[in-house]
């Protein structure tokens, strides 16, 4: 039997592993604030954006002359993201706010975590897929869905206003326009369906 009402999401109902939709609210040097449903907020650290960005950061740390990538190049205010809850905690305030408690939610926006349950059998044309640019190729962008069962490709001419602006490690959410199950590949488009 289905419930007659939907309970609003409250902090005490948020669990590790829960998937949520969010919007980037603020970007700092090493973390970003994500606005979550029902006036909740979560924090995503720079190493929880995408596996590709994490690799770029590791490479920049190994090379003394390399500049680490700026988080603001990968997340920006207003960007919609899919999140997986990593942990929750109630943190006590410090100083004048010692009696106050702050609700803290750590999230990841990595496609490898968010898409963990994705299978090739559940993907169909018209569906939106969430991934990260893994390479810039001759005719478009290779997009990692964080899943060995399926990869995606975003042709340059389907990247819309982001054509030429995407970097390795950036998050994209595209509509599946073609599915090649034998090749385990989904062709994506960022162009709105009504413009296609």
């Amino acid at each position: 039997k289905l419930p007659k009402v939907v309970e609003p999401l409250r902090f005490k109902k948020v669990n590790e592993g829960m998937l949520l939709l969010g919007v980037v609210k603020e970007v700092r040097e090493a973390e970003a604030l994500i606005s979550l449903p029902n006036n909740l907020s979560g924090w995503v650290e720079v190493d929880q954006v995408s596996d590709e960005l994490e690799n770029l950061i590791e490479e920049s740390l190994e090379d003394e002359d390399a500049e680490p990538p700026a988080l603001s190049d990968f997340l920006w205010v207003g960007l919609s993201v899919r999140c997986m809850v990593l942990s929750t905690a109630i943190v006590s305030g410090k100083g004048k706010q010692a009696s106050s408690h702050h609700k803290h939610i750590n999230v990841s926006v990595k496609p490898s975590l968010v898409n963990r349950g994705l299978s090739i059998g559940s993907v169909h044309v018209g569906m939106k897929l969430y991934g990260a640019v893994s390479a810039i190729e001759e005719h478009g962008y290779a997009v990692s869905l964080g899943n060995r069962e399926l990869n995606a490709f975003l042709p340059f001419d389907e990247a819309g206003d982001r054509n030429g602006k995407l970097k390795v490690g950036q998050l994209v959410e595209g509509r599946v326009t073609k599915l090649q199950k034998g090749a385990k590949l989904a062709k994506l488009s960022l162009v709105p369906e009504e413009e296609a």
Side-chain angles (χ1 to χ4, degrees):
K1 185 176 179 183
L2 293 174
K4 294 187 182 198
V5 294
V6 176
E7 295 266 339
L9 184 64
R10 302 211 190 296
F11 178 77
K12 59 183 158 187
K13 297 275 188 183
V14 175
N15 297 313
E16 185 178 317
M18 184 180 275
L19 296 175
L20 301 168
L21 290 175
V23 176
V24 176
K25 189 175 179 179
E26 178 184 339
V27 180
R28 297 182 180 174
E29 189 174 323
E31 62 188 2
L33 180 63
I34 309 294
S35 178
L36 299 172
N38 207 29
N39 212 21
L40 294 173
S41 295
W43 289 96
V44 61
E45 295 182 8
V46 67
D47 65 339
Q48 290 297 320
V49 174
S50 68
D51 293 322
E52 292 76 13
L53 177 55
E54 187 175 12
N55 291 338
L56 290 172
I57 292 167
E58 287 174 10
E59 288 171 13
S60 73
L61 293 174
E62 291 170 5
D63 182 357
E64 293 175 13
D65 298 328
E67 191 71 29
L71 183 57
S72 58
D73 288 341
F74 298 87
L75 296 176
W76 51 90
V77 173
L79 177 68
S80 294
V81 290
R82 298 182 189 190
C83 310
M84 184 175 123
V85 176
L86 298 177
S87 65
T88 61
I90 296 178
V91 182
S92 296
K94 295 179 182 173
K96 293 179 183 178
Q97 301 172 343
S99 62
S100 70
H101 298 292
H102 179 72
K103 298 170 183 169
H104 193 81
I105 302 172
N106 283 328
V107 299
S108 175
V109 296
K110 279 184 177 184
S112 59
L113 293 176
V114 173
N115 291 335
R116 212 176 354 196
L118 184 70
S119 69
I120 195 166
S122 64
V123 176
H124 55 85
V125 172
M127 178 179 180
K128 293 271 190 152
L129 286 180
Y130 179 78
V133 174
S134 58
I136 300 171
E137 298 180 352
E138 190 176 337
H139 299 288
Y141 304 96
V143 177
S144 169
L145 304 174
N147 170 318
R148 293 180 188 191
E149 195 172 325
L150 183 66
N151 284 304
F153 184 74
L154 174 63
F156 289 134
D157 62 347
E158 294 288 342
D161 60 357
R162 292 181 72 188
N163 187 11
K165 298 177 186 172
L166 292 173
K167 298 178 181 182
V168 171
Q170 278 188 323
L171 300 171
V172 293
E173 185 171 45
R175 177 177 42 84
V176 176
T177 58
K178 186 176 183 182
L179 190 59
Q180 299 171 338
K181 289 192 179 187
K184 298 182 178 181
L185 183 72
K187 184 178 167 190
L188 302 179
S189 175
L190 302 184
V191 178
E193 208 165 357
E194 55 274 359
E195 293 177 25

